[in-house]
Amino acid sequence: MITLQRTDMRSLPYFCRGQVVRGFGRGSKELGIPTANFPESVVDSLPADINTGIYYGWARVDNGDIHKMVMSIGWNPYYKNTKKSMETHVIHTFKEDFYGQILSVAMAGYIRPERGFKSLDELIAAIHSDIEEAKRNLDLPEHLKLKEDNFFKTSVSTTTRSDKIMNGH
Ligand code: ADP
Ligand code: MG
């Protein structure tokens, strides 16, 4: 498998937003790690240098607070692995689900490629280690400043059902 080096991902930081859709019901929530799925339109607009794997960055639901996040970009089994999926775990405890709301994300950096796991425990441990790495990296000044980006100052409205892609704003 060919994996890109972090430095090759010229599209980072990458900003996008879209309406949260239902995923494949793989039970991420039961593992304590719910992942909010982006619609196909957002996934299809990803630049070619954004490889599959695990990313970290910032996320905001509608006009709420900005939280740290980890995102998995992987091959979507529903489309026989010909299409990618983007699943964001927001590092925050929400009172309620936010299906249908607008998720805005700034992808700041890359953690690792996708990989297989021998057991569920091993998978959960890897995700927890990804979350710790995301938290640490996002405290670096170059990543902290993304929180202040104009991208997050735009007020989004669910009534517009906007899933317009925004990068470079
Ligand atoms: P699905 O297969 O529909 O994506 P999940 O078990 O992955 O189901 O749960 C994802 C949903 O959980 C999200 O769409 C969102 O509405 C909700 N949710 C609650 N808390 C979070 C969180 N911290 N990060 C991501 N999604 C969350
Ligand atoms: Mg999910």
Side-chain angles (χ1 to χ4, degrees), residues 68-141:
K68 292 175 175 176
M69 66 81 166
V70 284
M71 182 194 286
S72 159
I73 300 184
W75 294 106
N76 185 333
Y78 188 79
Y79 294 99
K80 299 195 164 66
N81 300 334
T82 56
K83 271 182 184 281
K84 286 176 189 169
S85 68
M86 290 165 82
E87 304 189 31
T88 305
H89 172 67
V90 186
I91 306 175
H92 177 75
T93 304
F94 290 87
K95 288 201 189 76
E96 286 174 357
D97 285 351
F98 46 86
Y99 289 111
Q101 291 183 248
I102 304 295
L103 177 67
S104 298
V105 301
M107 291 164 59
Y110 182 71
I111 298 181
R112 61 171 175 86
E114 282 186 287
R115 50 164 287 209
F117 294 94
K118 288 200 200 81
S119 68
L120 204 55
D121 284 349
E122 207 188 352
L123 168 67
I124 295 172
I127 297 171
H128 285 298
S129 122
D130 295 336
I131 290 172
E132 290 314 309
E133 185 167 345
K135 284 186 187 167
R136 269 197 312 275
N137 288 351
L138 287 164
D139 283 333
L140 298 171

Side-chain angles (χ1 to χ4, degrees), residues 2-14 43-53 55 73 84 107 109-110 167:
I2 297 166
T3 51
L4 293 174
Q5 297 297 308
R6 290 159 206 232
T7 48
D8 291 337
M9 295 201 195
R10 291 164 193 270
S11 301
L12 295 179
Y14 182 71
V43 183
D44 287 346
S45 302
L46 272 178
D49 66 324
I50 301 284
N51 206 357
T52 57
Y55 292 78
I73 300 184
K84 286 176 189 169
M107 291 164 59
Y110 182 71
N167 202 27

